[in-house]
């Protein structure tokens, strides 16, 4: 059973920054790919980013490339999403997900995911 503890969401002004955290149990960063996807009200899920276990390669959606950075702390079995230069269109519930070995091509369809954390970008 994979479980997640997500934290770090909140309200931020446009141009601001937030860091999301996802601590996992039941799946280790050594063998499982971890990533983030989001869903805004009335919109479809959107893949955001993923980090591959074998070599730490990272993947990003075009909409966040250059602004968001995914990283991991294997000692804490925790994945982070540093979000800079936030825009109102980044407002969504952000979910942490995982699946064995490789990142999903869509950056969306993970085998397990967390409860989500709200990110609101507004002045």
């Amino acid at each position: 059973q994979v479980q997640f503890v997500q934290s770090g969401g909140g309200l931020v002004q446009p141009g601001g920054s937030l860091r999301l955290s996802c601590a996992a149990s039941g799946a280790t960063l050594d063998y499982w790919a971890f990533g983030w996807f989001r869903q805004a009200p009335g919109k479809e899920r959107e893949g955001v980013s993923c980090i591959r276990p074998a070599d730490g390669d990272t993947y990003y959606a075009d909409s966040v490339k250059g602004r968001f950075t995914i990283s991991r702390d294997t000692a804490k079995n925790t994945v982070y999403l540093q979000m800079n230069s936030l825009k109102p269109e980044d407002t969504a519930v952000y979910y942490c997900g995982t699946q064995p070995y490789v990142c999903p091509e869509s950056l969306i369809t993970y085998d397990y995911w967390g409860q989500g954390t709200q990110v609101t970008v507004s002045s």
Side-chain angles (χ1 to χ4, degrees), residues 38-101:
R38 65 189 182 185
Q39 188 163 24
K43 294 188 177 181
E44 294 186 352
R45 287 183 178 182
E46 178 187 16
V48 174
S49 182
C50 185
I51 186 164
R52 197 165 66 176
D55 50 16
D57 273 1
T58 56
Y59 305 88
Y60 296 94
D62 288 343
S63 58
V64 306
K65 207 170 288 184
R67 300 188 297 122
F68 290 11
T69 302
I70 190 170
S71 62
R72 61 183 179 178
D73 184 334
T74 54
K76 296 181 179 179
N77 212 49
T78 299
V79 175
Y80 304 96
L81 185 69
Q82 178 67 43
M83 305 184 294
N84 298 329
S85 302
L86 282 161
K87 305 175 182 179
E89 50 263 45
D90 294 318
T91 296
V93 177
Y94 284 70
Y95 297 86
C96 175
T98 188
Q99 67 176 37
Y101 306 121

